[in-house]
Amino acid sequence: MKDALPIVKDIVLIGGGHAHALFLRMWGMAPLPGVRVTVINPGPTAPYTGMLPGHIAGHYARDGLMIDLIRLARFAGARVILDRATGIDGAARQIALAAGAPLHYDLASVDIGIGSDLPDVPGFAKNAVSAKPLGAYADRWQAFVAHSPPSPHVVVIGAGVGGVELALASGHRLMRAGADPRITLVERGDTVLDGVGQGARRTLLAHLDRAGVTVVTGAHPTAVTDTMVTLSDGQVLRSDFTLSVAGARPQDWLAATGLTLHDGFVAVSQHLQSSDPAIFAVGDCAHMIHAPRPKAGVFAVRQAPVLFHNMRAALTGLRLRAYHPQRDYLKLVSTGGKGAVADKFGLRSGGAWLWHLKDHIDRKFMRKFTGYPAMPGTSLPRHPVDGLRQALGEKPLCGGCGAKVGALDLHMALSALPPPSRDDVLSAIGDDAAILRHDASMQVITTDHLRAFCNDPRLMARITAVHALGDIWAMGAAPQVALAQITLPRMSPALHAETLRDIMDQAGVVFRAAGADVVGGHTSVGAELTIGFTVTGLVQRAITKAGARAGDVLILTKPLGTGTILAAEMANVSAPGLMLGDAVAGAFASMIRPLGRAAAILSPHAHAMTDVTGFGLAGHLLEILDASHCAATLTIGAIPLLAGAEALAAAGHASSLSPANRAATEWRMNHEQTPRAALLFDPQTAGGLLAAVPAAAAKEVLVQLHAAGEPAAIVGQITAGLPFIDVV
């Protein structure tokens, strides 16, 4: 097998707009060796705006118009950073992030869309919502529809095509919900629908009239409260839901980039390059100097192939390609119900056939992001040696704790080790960390390593640091020092240095917050990124897995499901009705959550404690039961799960380690075969603490955990008997 070519250049896509989404899809089909692609976006999904009116009208579910950037990036082999860009330093070639350290780029592209909010209008930010960005608007709208009054008043600010579409869609949806809506459309100018042909304008005005939409022109809002909108002409409009679709506002941070702007938008050449040739811009945030056009998604879609070619050409010395936008395009304006009006070719019908045409175009676009070619697996020779197929397994090898050796195999390997010969080694194999005598107190030491399961070394560093500290926290110890062991993939020397710096910086943030110092480590170069830490801690009374007593209550501090979610993400599969990106983002957020506060609350009370990692909840609970010579009852409905985990388990997805976990534990359990029960065997990465706490203290401990923001739950009870788990 040939080694992968080293990474030597970084392309960074700022924003998950339409052009960047198409770029990533094209990159997945034809990557450029030696180049790493990164997409920065605040959330794991990005909306397709063409279907927004249909969603507001109730024709499409929310997930039907969202592009899953996590799945798309997995297909493209790209890194996703869930953060918001706040600046660009062209001299240093760095992108500033709201929550993370600056990110290096060799080439960057900006596709961050526009805003339609009204920041200068008093009360708008608190009491209204803008159509862009879409996510917050869609969420607020669904909540409003579910709890709207019988005669809801809706004010839509801005009477261009977007405002008219959303006014009609809002009225249609509310009427479908049994309400009697009052919709008012407010336009600063003297005419509505400026920019469309007269025939289409007349037809759309007739639709507004039939829908009972009141149109106010020559006025703009001067104040917004939770119940009314005050206009510049003195009118006061009642409003239960206020929406702005008023024009296009560039994002403020672009002004400080040093790039040439046009009315706040990035000015680009025919090659889609800004005034800095290393920075491209596309979509609504860009202004094409050579061919100005209105803000419309059709241009972003058609810019994508040119952007894809030109960024590759800029890195390889090939000739750049010019983008020449069409002078006009077919505008299909939806009319609330399943009808549309066309503004081109003399068409202005509001009939159903135009809606079906628009629906066909929109669904065709979204199909590009709902199914991807199967990921190539490892091919076997025509006549494989006996046992090779079984060793390879049916699924790709999971990362994180899903890449662990199974419990039974590990036990067999370690059982031959002799007991400690030193009198200052108080405990070794079996507990979460070895216990060493350290003056008047004790020191605990452990090591943990994770094979990268995502393409972001910074995120992997944070997760691995939390994961490694879990053993220290589980012993009730205060973290002391950490040594790093890092295997880097092949890269240029500059990227090796940058990646190592990023890893150590992010790990250092976690360790310093836990009270520990990173004091060195070791690096090597290998086939893939692996990060590990050896960690020590100090403790007066070490909490082991032994000591649980009948009657103790079991408390779990984090939800289960990371193994199943990561397995689905690595295989780039999902479950019906689930946005995998949302589930993955939730899993990441859980994994980077430290256990220090939870450990501090549990340690004074816990009779036994461990962290739930590779062997799953069932495996780690049985370790407590074996050490404590007792049994347990788990309440399956009380066990917290990560969003999406149960749906993925129901769809048949599981970590590659799950079968080994079942084999090691299931014969000592009584449980029904359900998707929720399957997650008892799910290997966890940076999972929660599992503590056996006296029943008398359990409720107060849980109150303290919740007050500290910990998502803990009582999941069962220790009982008398041989080590066995009864799941009820």
Side-chain angles (χ1 to χ4, degrees), residues 17-89:
H18 302 353
H20 281 177
L22 289 167
F23 178 102
L24 288 168
R25 191 179 189 281
M26 288 184 281
W27 189 272
M29 301 296 289
L32 182 61
V35 180
R36 175 172 59 181
V37 174
T38 301
V39 58
I40 302 169
N41 201 66
T45 59
Y48 171 52
T49 55
M51 298 173 80
L52 173 60
H55 171 63
I56 297 302
H59 306 315
Y60 304 120
R62 189 176 189 277
D63 59 2
L65 64 150
M66 302 301 287
I67 298 170
D68 192 329
L69 294 177
I70 299 292
R71 290 193 66 199
L72 177 57
R74 172 61 68 179
F75 172 70
R79 169 173 57 164
V80 179
I81 294 181
L82 299 179
D83 204 343
R84 188 181 300 277
T86 58
I88 300 175
D89 183 341

Side-chain angles (χ1 to χ4, degrees), residues 268-644:
V268 297
S269 69
Q270 61 182 350
H271 301 131
L272 305 178
Q273 287 174 303
S274 71
S275 54
D276 180 342
I279 300 174
F280 294 73
V282 287
D284 287 349
C285 70
H287 173 78
M288 295 178 286
I289 302 171
H290 65 292
R293 293 292 187 273
K295 304 301 182 187
V298 65
F299 299 116
V301 168
R302 297 187 181 184
Q303 286 169 339
V306 178
L307 177 70
F308 179 72
H309 172 86
N310 286 353
M311 294 194 86
R312 294 164 65 96
L315 291 175
T316 56
L318 298 178
R319 185 176 180 179
L320 300 183
R321 185 179 298 167
Y323 170 66
H324 299 292
Q326 67 271 40
R327 291 187 175 276
D328 197 7
Y329 61 97
L330 175 62
K331 304 180 188 73
L332 291 171
V333 185
S334 57
T335 55
K338 293 186 176 181
V341 172
D343 184 28
K344 195 181 179 185
F345 310 129
L347 297 171
R348 54 180 183 273
S349 166
W353 76 274
L354 282 174
W355 159 264
H356 290 301
L357 175 61
K358 175 175 169 54
D359 179 66
H360 171 75
I361 293 170
D362 291 337
R363 289 182 186 273
K364 181 180 178 182
F365 178 82
M366 287 303 296
R367 279 196 295 271
K368 297 176 184 291
F369 307 105
T370 54
Y372 299 102
M375 306 292 281
T378 303
S379 58
L380 288 169
R382 184 177 179 183
H383 301 291
V385 299
D386 187 39
L388 182 59
R389 189 182 305 277
Q390 291 79 7
L392 180 62
E394 297 179 358
K395 298 180 178 181
L397 179 64
C398 293
C401 275
K404 215 174 208 178
V405 173
L408 293 177
D409 293 334
L410 185 63
H411 176 75
M412 291 177 60
L414 297 180
S415 60
L417 286 177
S421 59
R422 296 177 58 96
D423 60 7
D424 57 354
V425 179
L426 306 181
S427 167
I429 299 168
D431 277 314
D432 289 305
I435 305 174
L436 312 176
R437 183 178 290 110
H438 186 76
D439 296 331
S441 62
M442 289 177 282
Q443 185 183 52
V444 295
I445 182 170
T446 186
T447 190
D448 247 315
H449 299 69
L450 296 179
R451 171 177 167 264
F453 48 75
C454 74
N455 293 319
D456 184 1
R458 307 206 271 190
L459 178 61
M460 280 304 309
R462 293 182 70 91
I463 292 172
T464 308
V466 171
H467 184 76
L469 282 164
D471 289 338
I472 303 298
W473 282 318
M475 302 290 286
Q480 183 187 21
V481 298
L483 287 167
Q485 298 90 39
I486 301 169
T487 300
L488 294 169
R490 295 179 67 195
M491 296 177 167
S492 67
L495 284 182
H496 266 155
E498 177 193 330
T499 302
L500 183 60
R501 183 172 59 249
D502 283 346
I503 290 170
M504 297 305 290
D505 173 70
Q506 292 301 297
V509 169
V510 175
F511 284 114
R512 285 191 298 274
D517 289 323
V518 181
V519 293
H522 177 76
T523 61
S524 62
V525 176
E528 59 186 353
L529 176 65
T530 301
I531 304 175
F533 297 100
T534 298
V535 191
T536 65
L538 298 175
V539 65
Q540 293 294 323
R541 178 186 76 93
I543 304 171
T544 67
K545 296 172 186 174
R549 307 168 191 174
D552 283 352
V553 168
L554 291 169
I555 294 179
L556 179 65
T557 67
K558 281 188 181 183
L560 304 180
T562 62
T564 295
I565 291 171
L566 292 178
E569 192 274 332
M570 292 185 73
N572 207 359
V573 293
S574 190
L578 174 70
M579 292 298 294
L580 182 64
D582 290 335
V584 172
F588 287 161
S590 180
M591 285 186 278
I592 64 173
R593 186 181 185 87
L595 299 173
R597 286 184 300 182
I601 294 168
L602 288 166
S603 294
H605 306 279
H607 289 152
M609 189 157 66
T610 188
D611 60 331
V612 180
T613 52
F615 301 145
L617 177 60
H620 288 288
L621 175 55
L622 279 168
E623 288 181 330
I624 289 178
L625 302 184
D626 284 335
S628 302
H629 308 292
C630 52
T633 298
L634 282 178
T635 305
I636 191 70
I639 297 172
L641 304 178
L642 288 167

Side-chain angles (χ1 to χ4, degrees), residues 121-134:
V121 176
F124 182 90
K126 180 181 179 181
N127 301 303
V129 65
S130 56
K132 294 184 179 182
L134 179 150

Side-chain angles (χ1 to χ4, degrees), residues 123 135 153 169 468 691:
H153 287 69

Side-chain angles (χ1 to χ4, degrees), residues 161-179:
V161 168
V164 168
E165 277 192 299
L166 292 175
L168 291 169
S170 299
H172 178 81
R173 180 67 182 89
L174 290 168
M175 284 189 288
R176 282 183 58 190

